[in-house]
Amino acid sequence: MQWYLTDKDRLKLEVELMQRSGANFQLCSDEYENLLWRGPLLVYNRYHSDVRLVYPENFPHEKIEVYVLDPKLPTVTHHVYEDGRICYMKDEEWSPDWTAYAVYLTTIRFLNDFYNGKMHEARYNVSLPSDTHQSLLKRMWEAIFG
Amino acid sequence: MICIRKFLFADILMKEMEEDKNKWLNKGVETGGYIFGKLYPNGLAYATHVLLDGPKTSRTPISFTADNEHANKIKESLQKEDPEIRLLGEYHVHPWKGKPELSQGDINQLIEVKKQRPWFIVLLGTADEWKAFDLTIEQAPSMDLFSDHGCILQPRDIKYIATKHIPFQVVRCEFGNREKILDRILKAARHEILIKKTALIVGLGSGGCVVTKYLGCTGIGRIILVDNEELEVVNVIRHEGSIEDIGKPKVQICKEIIESHNPFTVVEAYSFDVVKEFRKLEELASQSDLIIGSSGNSKVNNLLNKISIERRIPAIYGGVYEKALGGYVLAVKPFETACYNCIFSLTSKSYHVDVGAAQRYGLSEDELYQQQGLWIDISFPALILSKMALAMLENKKLDYNLALYDSALEVKRLYVNRRDDCPVCNEKEWIRKHEKAFPKKHSLRERFRGLVKWTS
């Protein structure tokens, strides 16, 4: 059974925290009846119009998955997957203390580190190819102005 | 009401039945007889006697009728010697090749017999093999079939809906005496309690297989094993499974290890991914008196913690760290002592990889996550876990709930209190703490207004 059907207090808190954060995210559900927060993020001058924080069925005992879409991040580190999912934390490091709001903040930090190159240089010694920057800028432009 | 979970046969009885089978198979007629023995509170049936036939036994190519009058006399004489002996079931042989399957007539007859003897099963043979059959009961979760005192519950409106196989093990007759097998530990553990207990062990790696082996040698009634991996070449150097076992599911290896030491423990083996099949894990855990998380994987342990707290089932977790030079064991009594999250939420990290820590241990970052460590070092905390698990199953009071082991052979025993704001075992307080910061309170409906957008 989905967590939000049995743990209304936790759901209430999750909503309250996200509301308070000022994030322009909306609560939706996907085809598996998982709840998710969906909204835009502008970090380090890069704009993503569709970022999703997806609650698993056994939340808060399992990790919230984060998808950075439209545009997806280039898969230049092990922390970014083909389907747009990012690895902001190892599964083993998750604890039920984490809320969607905490994950939201971590996603901002992740994107910040991703774009300013910290993540690549420290861990993999790679940097974004220049054409990726161009491509991102182009897609960002399309996302904003159509 | 009691049901049989496992059938144990002495090899000489199997030999007798095999000879009877071959004798009548050659004549093309069915044969059979009755099986007498003991039924233990953990659902283990041990066959002590087999009645092959009586003066009024009749056999045809499609039927076998036993001599019930003679069987009753034999039962009474057996019970004079040992009052615990009862009629466990019947065996019969279909005189053809192929897999044994109960006929509809067999099923109808079994349903009738079960009204008097709910534990009754059928051992069915063909020219090729033997199989033990029981019937599945509708609307009767197995946890309700046993009370704290063993087989007490009465069969009411039980509906049998399908046949099921009962595992049976053949042992040399000298291993058929439970008291003899447990002789050297009879006064070292509380067997009258342990035989009624069920332990669920999740994770059968280097530590889990040690826990399984040693708990299996304590006289616990029932052990449920869960793991989804097969033994690989890299595992053999620190696992109870050997080179011959490579490719076999770890649950099967561990089941065989327990059964080879103590056939009187009922061992059930399940190979599945507990994260993907969480409901199945919940169902198995609900039948247990103790949940043992020996995977060392906190994703799995978080799920076990959820079940433990929600269903108020005691749990115990173990793991190692730093090339297995240190280990921990945490015992949890729901809502009494710290839960898994009370302690391990403190260790969460961000996505950043701790390269510094890897270098301190002289490892590359990848090596750090390859779980380096000697089996000796992994076994120490695994043994501590086994000892603490046994104490919990024996209902002994522990004055500590966290044991920390390091390779200097030092064990620290600590009592850790519950976190007063743990989101798992103290959720209301945790929420209240967060809510204090809210500027104003709205109803749930108001909070959702203009916010929820349900997609189709």
Side-chain angles (χ1 to χ4, degrees):
Chain A
M1 190 182 283
Q2 285 284 355
W3 67 278
Y4 52 84
L5 298 175
T6 55
D7 197 351
K8 294 249 162 61
D9 290 340
R10 177 75 188 231
L11 174 62
K12 213 160 68 176
L13 180 79
E14 291 288 321
V15 173
E16 191 85 55
L17 287 172
M18 281 300 278
Q19 272 188 335
R20 198 178 54 170
S21 73
N24 188 20
F25 273 49
Q26 283 191 316
L27 196 59
C28 318
S29 74
D30 65 14
E31 66 266 38
Y32 306 108
E33 298 186 347
N34 289 323
L35 277 188
L36 61 107
W37 290 100
R38 191 173 174 183
L41 270 183
L42 178 66
V43 179
Y44 212 76
N45 285 332
R46 303 316 206 279
Y47 181 78
H48 296 272
S49 66
D50 188 0
V51 175
R52 299 177 191 186
L53 318 178
V54 184
Y55 291 104
E57 188 182 344
N58 286 318
F59 180 78
H61 307 279
E62 279 186 79
K63 191 175 101 174
I64 291 175
E65 295 292 357
V66 177
Y67 291 82
V68 177
L69 308 167
D70 200 19
K72 284 182 194 169
L73 293 173
T75 54
V76 290
T77 87
H78 292 172
H79 301 305
V80 179
Y81 300 100
E82 290 286 342
D83 61 357
R85 197 158 42 96
I86 62 166
C87 175
Y88 65 94
M89 171 196 276
K90 285 188 163 59
D91 284 351
E92 304 85 73
E93 292 168 354
W94 174 264
S95 108
D97 287 68
W98 283 73
T99 61
Y101 174 55
V103 173
Y104 167 77
L105 294 177
T106 306
T107 304
I108 293 172
R109 183 176 152 206
F110 181 99
L111 290 172
N112 193 61
D113 284 0
F114 183 88
Y115 284 123
N116 71 21
K118 270 187 194 169
M119 189 183 294
H120 322 294
E121 285 158 16
R123 168 78 168 79
Y124 299 106
N125 198 25
V126 293
S127 56
L128 283 174
S130 56
D131 61 333
T132 310
H133 283 287
Q134 293 302 319
S135 158
L136 277 173
L137 283 170
K138 191 179 165 202
R139 290 174 72 178
M140 188 183 81
W141 182 267
E142 285 168 0
I144 297 170
F145 301 107
Chain B
M1 198 193 105
I2 195 166
C3 66
I4 292 177
R5 288 197 168 105
K6 177 183 171 182
F7 222 134
L8 195 61
F9 266 91
D11 54 355
I12 48 167
L13 295 186
M14 277 309 289
K15 200 178 162 196
E16 275 182 46
M17 288 192 297
E18 195 67 33
E19 281 169 4
D20 186 49
K21 180 175 94 170
N22 292 333
K23 177 180 163 188
W24 296 101
L25 264 177
N26 293 336
K27 296 175 182 174
V29 294
E30 286 198 13
T31 186
Y34 285 117
I35 302 165
F36 299 96
K38 291 184 183 178
L39 186 48
Y40 294 93
N42 61 342
L44 183 123
Y46 175 58
T48 54
H49 300 84
V50 171
L51 178 65
L52 298 177
D53 55 11
K56 293 178 187 168
T57 301
S58 74
R59 298 178 177 89
T60 75
I62 54 162
S63 72
F64 167 78
T65 310
D67 185 346
N68 290 342
E69 203 179 309
H70 180 63
N72 269 329
K73 279 182 193 164
I74 297 292
K75 188 184 80 176
E76 281 165 15
S77 68
L78 289 172
Q79 284 177 336
K80 273 181 194 166
E81 285 177 29
D82 186 346
E84 286 182 12
I85 287 182
R86 63 172 94 187
L87 178 59
L88 295 174
E90 62 138 330
Y91 83 92
H92 75 265
V93 176
H94 289 160
W96 50 75
K97 289 187 172 186
K99 283 188 177 176
E101 288 297 339
L102 291 179
S103 67
Q104 192 54 49
D106 293 334
I107 293 171
N108 293 342
Q109 199 177 5
L110 187 53
I111 289 171
E112 278 304 306
V113 177
K114 276 182 166 289
K115 287 177 183 168
Q116 296 288 320
R117 297 181 177 86
W119 60 85
F120 199 89
I121 67 162
V122 175
L123 183 67
L124 185 61
T126 61
D128 295 327
E129 61 177 316
W130 292 95
K131 265 186 182 171
F133 289 88
D134 196 359
L135 297 175
T136 307
I137 301 166
E138 191 178 39
Q139 292 177 331
S142 51
M143 61 185 291
D144 291 333
L145 298 176
F146 292 84
S147 75
D148 287 343
H149 308 289
C151 48
I152 300 297
L153 305 179
Q154 293 299 317
R156 288 182 287 256
D157 298 324
I158 294 171
K159 287 180 184 170
Y160 296 101
I161 52 171
T163 58
K164 65 174 178 184
H165 296 302
I166 300 294
F168 74 95
Q169 187 184 354
V170 180
V171 290
R172 275 165 46 196
C173 63
E174 56 265 42
F175 292 114
N177 185 333
R178 183 172 184 269
E179 284 67 35
K180 199 170 180 182
I181 283 183
L182 301 182
D183 183 64
R184 296 295 161 96
I185 60 166
L186 270 176
K187 289 179 182 162
R190 300 166 75 176
H191 295 282
E192 72 287 356
I193 295 176
L194 289 177
I195 195 167
K196 294 168 194 160
K197 298 286 186 177
T198 298
L200 168 72
I201 305 178
V202 180
L204 301 175
S206 308
C209 71
V210 172
V211 173
T212 302
K213 177 178 165 183
Y214 287 100
L215 279 183
C217 293
T218 59
I220 293 172
R222 184 178 172 217
I223 295 178
I224 304 173
L225 304 174
V226 177
D227 192 286
N228 71 330
E229 289 182 350
E230 291 165 355
L231 194 74
E232 294 177 22
V233 175
V234 291
N235 301 138
V236 177
I237 203 69
R238 48 181 218 193
H239 199 277
E240 291 289 341
S242 66
I243 291 171
E244 283 77 32
D245 295 318
I246 289 171
K248 266 167 81 174
K250 288 178 181 173
V251 284
Q252 192 56 36
I253 295 167
C254 291
K255 182 177 190 277
E256 286 167 11
I257 286 167
I258 299 175
E259 287 179 339
S260 66
H261 282 84
N262 177 11
F264 284 86
T265 291
V266 175
V267 189
E268 292 168 23
Y270 297 90
S271 193
F272 67 94
D273 184 329
V274 296
V275 177
K276 287 180 185 157
E277 294 186 66
F278 179 70
R279 297 288 157 252
K280 197 170 172 182
L281 176 68
E282 258 188 327
E283 194 192 318
L284 293 171
S286 69
Q287 301 172 27
S288 312
D289 300 292
L290 179 69
I291 297 170
I292 298 173
S294 51
S295 67
N297 178 324
S298 56
K299 189 176 182 180
V300 172
N301 288 349
N302 271 324
L303 292 173
L304 294 176
N305 193 41
K306 168 186 158 73
I307 300 171
S308 161
I309 298 298
E310 283 180 2
R311 296 179 182 248
R312 293 176 180 263
I313 302 168
I316 188 161
Y317 307 90
V320 292
Y321 46 84
E322 297 175 16
K323 286 201 282 184
L325 296 179
Y328 70 87
V329 180
L330 172 70
V332 177
K333 283 195 172 176
F335 304 106
E336 284 181 37
T337 64
C339 79
Y340 183 81
N341 189 65
C342 287
I343 292 178
F344 289 93
S345 61
L346 306 173
T347 63
S348 293
K349 289 186 286 184
S350 73
Y351 62 88
H352 286 295
V353 174
D354 195 349
V355 181
Q359 285 168 347
R360 276 204 302 283
Y361 302 124
L363 298 169
S364 75
E365 179 192 312
D366 288 336
E367 282 171 333
L368 184 70
Y369 291 106
Q370 277 173 1
Q371 304 166 331
Q372 291 288 307
L374 290 171
W375 199 17
I376 302 168
D377 293 320
I378 298 166
S379 297
F380 275 105
L383 286 169
I384 294 168
L385 188 153
S386 309
K387 184 77 179 160
M388 287 169 70
L390 183 63
M392 291 172 87
L393 286 164
E394 288 180 310
N395 303 331
K396 285 183 183 165
K397 197 169 186 286
L398 289 173
D399 54 3
Y400 58 95
N401 59 348
L402 180 64
L404 297 174
Y405 165 81
D406 71 37
S407 62
L409 300 180
E410 192 179 348
V411 181
K412 285 180 185 152
R413 296 185 299 173
L414 309 163
Y415 186 85
V416 184
N417 283 319
R418 287 170 67 197
R419 247 177 72 188
D420 58 7
D421 62 345
C422 172
V424 179
C425 70
N426 220 339
E427 192 191 18
K428 280 187 180 166
E429 200 51 47
W430 183 78
I431 287 175
R432 198 174 297 139
K433 190 178 161 188
H434 282 78
E435 277 180 341
K436 276 182 189 170
F438 294 164
K440 53 186 176 181
K441 293 191 185 296
H442 297 293
S443 68
L444 186 60
R445 185 185 291 268
E446 284 170 329
R447 284 173 188 166
F448 276 77
R449 187 166 290 154
L451 190 69
V452 181
K453 182 187 173 190
W454 298 94
T455 57
S456 57

